[in-house]
Amino acid sequence: PYAELQANHIGFVPVNIDIFYKQPLKFGDTYRIKTAPISFNKASILIKAEIVSDKGVHSHCTVKLACMDESNWKITPVPKFVIDKVKEFEDS
């Protein structure tokens, strides 16, 4: 949970977002958002996401999140426990 990260003064802030819109969603459409990590760097995580419905892919994006120490708002390395939890989630 994000609250657990914040209890450890860890936060993630977007520093770059690339979004590609393919087709619109309409009110009443059912959709899901699929996300997956692409890579981990020393102090950031790159994530990909897609918005998908039964009509296909509506948009896809990549988001680079910088890891911050929320006690001083400085960039900090991504904690090992975060990487381990993400990898554990991927494997499930």
Side-chain angles (χ1 to χ4, degrees):
Y2 202 78
E4 183 180 328
L5 292 172
Q6 289 184 309
N8 290 296
H9 303 287
I10 300 294
F12 287 92
V13 295
V15 293
N16 187 53
I17 301 172
D18 289 318
I19 302 174
F20 301 92
Y21 297 100
K22 300 181 135 232
Q23 60 178 317
L25 285 167
K26 296 183 178 135
F27 285 106
D29 283 350
T30 300
Y31 63 92
R32 59 178 198 227
I33 301 172
K34 297 171 22 176
T35 62
I38 297 173
S39 63
F40 295 91
N41 292 322
K42 182 177 180 181
S44 65
I45 299 173
L46 188 62
I47 296 172
K48 67 178 179 176
E50 286 184 325
I51 297 176
V52 181
S53 77
D54 59 350
K55 297 173 188 165
V57 176
H58 293 267
S59 68
H60 59 91
C61 70
T62 57
V63 180
K64 183 177 183 178
L65 300 170
C67 186
M68 304 290 288
D69 179 335
E70 290 187 346
S71 65
N72 60 18
W73 295 103
K74 294 190 179 193
I75 292 175
T76 189
V78 177
K80 184 176 181 327
F81 79 89
V82 172
I83 296 169
D84 291 344
K85 285 285 187 186
V86 171
K87 289 182 178 179
E88 178 184 313
F89 180 76
E90 280 185 295
D91 294 339
S92 64

